[in-house]
């Protein structure tokens, strides 16, 4: 757990494998369940969602073998959170609601607090903003009531995202800054990186480009240091937008190229790559390279025509506009 919180993923996986081996030797399915769960998180945090899912599934199987509803709930929570990261909100709710029932049956209020945040994300992603707002506030109150700083941080981050989406950037920034303070206080490098990325985005929307760039650079440095490639890709994508706004085409293009490479390398959902492709199409169009711009747009259109969506992108209409401009 310590290695995971510090972003030392190789050490986390090594410790998880040792726990699995010792659990196997001792005939302790519970140890094996926790080993596979930690292994799954180490992979997921690096963006290897394909590799993470079998670890969570094996954790659930071992928890059932051990007869532990608590460990099964933790494994199901991992599967649900993994689905939210891949933008499959319907499947996420399926796993998360199972886990929530088990946590409530075992009286685990900390587990309940954690899951409320992620269930609320799925509700929000499915478009019910009013219900999500109420639920996030409930999650925040529960986290503070039980003294769970990690879950308080997540609830604050979620509220920041929601108010950013609603256009209340002042309130969003306040929530993000509170979440960042907790991440730094608890030395949680992964969450420090995540909150910095979102804080940079909301600051950029208020016109503070220099502040946004500073937050983004900090976030990229932490993500790279940790080897959290999926998050690094997202931060680079956001920086691409920033440099585009500043008129720095070459730096923006470099950010989009690196982000696209990381998204494809980590097996992130295809929707993550669409914005980077649009950014590259924009850069090509500004250089009058219409042929290359059309190639990027063709990939976006093939994705959309195949039933894909842009729900995982913060600027979907910009992607559509870029496609339109290239096609025109």
């Amino acid at each position: 757990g310590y290695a995971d919180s510090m972003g030392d993923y190789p050490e986390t996986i090594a410790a998880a494998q040792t726990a699995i081996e010792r659990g196997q030797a001792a005939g302790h399915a519970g140890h094996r369940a926790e080993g596979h769960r930690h292994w799954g998180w180490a992979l997921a945090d690096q963006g290897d969602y394909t590799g993470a899912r079998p670890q969570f599934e094996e954790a659930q199987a071992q928890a059932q073998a051990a007869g532990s509803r608590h460990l099964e709930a933790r494994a199901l929570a991992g599967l649900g959170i993994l689905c939210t990261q891949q933008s499959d909100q319907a499947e996420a709710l399926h796993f998360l609601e199972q886990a929530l029932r088990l946590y409530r049956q075992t009286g685990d209020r900390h587990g309940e607090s954690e899951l409320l945040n992620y269930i609320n994300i799925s509700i929000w992603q499915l478009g019910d903003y009013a219900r999500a707002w109420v639920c996030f506030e409930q999650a925040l109150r529960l986290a503070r009531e039980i003294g769970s700083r990690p879950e308080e941080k997540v609830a604050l981050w979620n509220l920041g995202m929601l108010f950013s989406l609603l256009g209340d950037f002042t309130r969003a920034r306040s929530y993000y800054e509170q979440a960042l303070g907790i991440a730094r206080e608890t030395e949680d490098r992964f969450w420090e990186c995540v909150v910095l990325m979102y804080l940079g985005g909301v600051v950029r929307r208020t016109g503070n480009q220099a502040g946004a760039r500073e937050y983004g650079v900090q976030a990229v440095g932490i993500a790279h240091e940790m080897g959290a490639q999926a998050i690094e890709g997202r931060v680079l994508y956001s920086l691409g937008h920033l440099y585009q706004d500043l008129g720095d085409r070459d730096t923006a293009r470099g950010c989009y190229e690196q982000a696209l490479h990381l998204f494809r390398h980590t097996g992130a959902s295809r929707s993550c790559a669409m914005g980077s492709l649009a950014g590259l199409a924009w850069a090509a169009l500004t250089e009058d390279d219409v042929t290359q711009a059309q190639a990027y747009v063709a990939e976006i259109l093939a994705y959309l025509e195949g039933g894909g969506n842009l729900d995982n992108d913060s600027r979907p209409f910009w992607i559509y506009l870029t496609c339109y401009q290239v096609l025109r």
Side-chain angles (χ1 to χ4, degrees):
Y2 175 77
D4 185 41
S5 68
M6 297 304 293
D8 189 343
Y9 300 120
E11 181 61 28
T12 299
I13 292 172
Q17 290 171 335
T18 299
I20 293 166
E21 291 168 2
R22 292 181 179 177
Q24 181 71 36
H28 198 300
H31 287 170
R32 296 200 298 275
E34 280 296 86
H36 283 291
R37 188 178 70 85
H38 281 290
W39 193 345
W41 277 121
L43 293 173
D45 286 349
Q46 295 176 88
D48 185 359
Y49 304 130
T50 302
R53 180 156 187 158
Q55 296 298 331
F56 287 124
E57 290 172 340
E58 184 61 25
Q60 182 190 4
Q62 294 296 333
Q64 289 175 334
S68 173
R69 289 182 297 172
H70 175 71
L71 293 182
E72 184 180 359
R74 298 182 79 175
L76 285 165
L79 283 166
I81 295 168
L82 185 67
C83 289
T84 66
Q85 293 171 336
Q86 295 180 291
S87 300
D88 189 343
Q89 305 306 333
E91 188 174 24
L93 278 173
H94 169 72
F95 288 123
L96 293 171
E97 287 173 346
Q98 289 183 68
L100 184 62
R101 283 194 295 272
L102 290 174
Y103 276 138
R104 285 175 171 168
Q105 288 172 13
T106 57
D108 186 343
R109 300 196 75 199
H110 285 272
E112 179 183 352
S113 175
E114 176 186 15
L115 280 198
L116 281 173
N117 280 308
Y118 288 102
I119 288 173
N120 297 342
I121 290 174
S122 294
I123 292 170
W124 166 25
Q125 291 293 334
L126 291 170
D128 193 343
Y129 300 144
R131 182 183 171 197
W133 182 358
V134 172
C135 291
F136 283 142
E137 291 285 2
Q138 290 176 345
L140 180 59
R141 284 195 298 272
L142 176 57
R144 286 174 170 168
E145 180 182 329
I146 63 177
S148 175
R149 298 290 274 167
E151 299 318 317
E152 180 183 356
K153 168 196 64 196
V154 175
L156 288 165
W157 171 66
N158 284 331
L159 284 163
M161 286 198 297
L162 182 60
F163 279 102
S164 178
L165 181 67
L166 295 173
D168 189 341
F169 302 128
T170 299
R171 189 178 293 186
R173 181 171 183 173
S174 174
Y175 283 124
Y176 283 144
E177 287 175 342
Q178 292 177 69
L180 180 62
I182 295 174
R184 287 174 168 168
E185 175 189 322
T186 57
E187 298 183 348
D188 190 328
R189 297 282 281 166
F190 179 82
W191 272 101
E192 180 181 1
C193 175
V194 169
V195 178
L196 281 168
M197 175 178 66
Y198 281 87
L199 187 54
V202 79
V203 167
R204 180 175 63 82
R205 292 180 184 180
T206 63
N208 184 355
Q209 309 293 357
R213 180 167 50 194
E214 177 59 28
Y215 286 130
V217 169
Q218 288 181 50
V220 166
I222 295 171
H224 188 74
E225 178 186 324
M226 293 172 61
Q229 294 183 328
I231 296 299
E232 185 178 358
R234 290 178 180 272
V235 181
L236 285 165
Y237 174 51
S238 296
L239 280 173
H241 291 329
L242 173 63
Y243 286 113
Q244 180 186 356
D245 291 346
L246 293 172
D248 187 343
R249 180 186 61 210
D250 293 338
T251 304
R253 180 175 53 209
C255 289
Y256 291 134
E257 286 174 344
Q258 292 179 66
L260 182 63
H261 170 74
L262 289 168
F263 289 144
R264 286 176 167 165
H265 178 70
T266 59
S269 62
R270 287 187 66 199
S271 63
C272 294
M274 296 303 111
S276 296
L277 287 167
L280 291 171
W282 162 81
L285 195 61
T286 61
E287 296 177 322
D288 295 323
D289 188 348
V290 179
T291 301
Q292 184 61 66
Q294 286 177 322
Y296 291 128
V297 166
E299 188 170 346
I300 298 172
L301 295 179
Y303 166 77
L304 293 172
E305 289 167 0
N309 61 65
L310 303 176
D311 293 346
N312 202 38
D313 197 282
S314 60
R315 299 176 69 180
F317 295 109
W318 169 76
I319 297 176
Y320 289 125
L321 176 61
T322 301
C323 290
Y324 165 77
Q325 290 171 333
V326 170
L327 293 170
R328 184 185 62 181

